[in-house]
Each structure stands twice: as C-alpha cells, then as structure tokens.
Amino acid sequence: MIAALLACAALAWSAGIAVAQGQAQPAGAGPAGSASGAVRSADATALHSERFNRLAEELRCLVCQNQTLADSNAGLAGDLRKEVEAQIAQGKSDDQIKAYLVERYGDFVLYRPPVQGNTVLLWLGPFALLAVGAAAWLVVQRRGRERRAELVPTGDDDRERARRMLD
C-alpha cells in the first residue's frame, strides 16, 4: 500500500517536473511510464524526502528560535519548508539552499552556525565558562587544603593540648 502511494507520488512529481521543464511526455512513454521508471522515481522521491528532512533538521525556525523547521508549527516555518522543497525540486544543492536562506535571514537560520568572527563567542563561550569554573574550583580546593593543614596539630605542645581537651 505504502509502495503504491510512493509510486503514485513519484509519478505525479516526475510529471510535474517534466511539465515545469516543458518536457511533458505522453502516458507510457519514456522511463516514467515503465515499471522500472516508477521504481527509479520512487527512489528519487525517497532521496528528496531524506534530503528535505535532513535540511529541515539543520535549519532553525525564525519564530520559535529553539526549534528546527521540522519541529515547528509556525506559519513562517511552513513557508520556509515549502521554499526548501521548491529549491530541492529545482535541483539546487544543500549548500546552495543554505546559502540562499542565510543571505535572506542571516546565520541565525542555521541551527549550527559556522565559526566566524561574529560567532566565535557562541562557539568558544561555553568552553571558556567551563575553564573559569574549573579554575575557581581548583582555587577553592587549594584554600580548603591550606586551612585544614593549619588546623592539624603539628607540634608536641599542640598534641598534648588536644589530648587534654579530649580527655
């Protein structure tokens, strides 16, 4: 059942592409009309779907900000999904699609923005905060050891006094 739906979708998609490119073929003519052509079209549709899903996971919803395009229900996210689908159908590469969206909306549209001068703090900030926290922890630990060392009796007089206090 699912295979039949995929085959129908693939045929409709390939026919739509052919019409858009001005290469409409009569029914049964060419590879789209044959059984092996339908399988190839279904494979192509599955590849486009995988590509779309991968891109939708890599792009951020500009309204929700903490959701990918795939996860968001916002109207703008739906429009961006349609735009991505249209560009995939036009045969554009993933990099071309991302470049187009970055040109229009900035690096923020990418869920993983590139390391650039304006995003260095975004990439290195968490590591810097971790280093500062680790340094603070080490300082606190050393000071605690020094204080404990000062409290430990070291001389015979200190030990004798401690024994008297405990007895």
Side-chain angles (χ1 to χ4, degrees):
M1 175 86 175
I2 293 174
L5 287 173
L6 281 175
C8 289
L11 287 174
W13 179 78
S14 63
I17 295 297
V19 168
Q21 294 175 346
Q23 302 171 348
Q25 298 177 349
S34 67
S36 65
V39 171
R40 274 186 258 144
S41 293
D43 289 343
T45 301
L47 287 175
H48 284 294
S49 178
E50 286 176 29
R51 240 181 102 198
F52 171 76
N53 289 336
R54 188 176 57 249
L55 275 169
E57 289 293 328
E58 293 177 14
L59 299 169
R60 180 188 314 268
C61 172
L62 299 170
V63 176
C64 305
Q65 297 183 2
N66 287 329
Q67 290 184 318
T68 63
L69 283 184
D71 298 334
S72 177
N73 293 327
L76 180 61
D79 293 343
L80 288 174
R81 284 191 295 264
K82 288 177 187 174
E83 182 64 36
V84 169
E85 287 175 350
Q87 291 197 16
I88 288 173
Q90 292 171 6
K92 293 191 177 178
S93 72
D94 291 0
D95 289 336
Q96 288 173 322
I97 294 170
K98 288 180 196 175
Y100 170 78
L101 292 172
V102 166
E103 183 180 317
R104 265 185 102 170
Y105 302 106
D107 286 331
F108 186 74
V109 76
L110 300 174
Y111 218 70
R112 291 176 218 71
V115 179
Q116 299 173 344
N118 61 345
T119 61
V120 168
L121 185 61
L122 180 69
W123 284 101
L124 299 180
F127 298 109
L129 287 175
L130 182 64
V132 167
W137 182 78
L138 286 172
V139 167
V140 167
Q141 292 299 313
R142 282 188 182 158
R143 285 185 183 165
R145 256 188 250 137
E146 290 171 2
R147 286 186 187 144
R148 284 191 298 275
E150 290 173 2
L151 296 176
V152 174
T154 55
D156 289 334
D157 293 338
D158 290 334
R159 286 189 186 136
E160 186 59 38
R161 193 176 67 188
R163 265 192 215 118
R164 276 186 272 147
M165 292 171 115
L166 292 172
D167 290 337

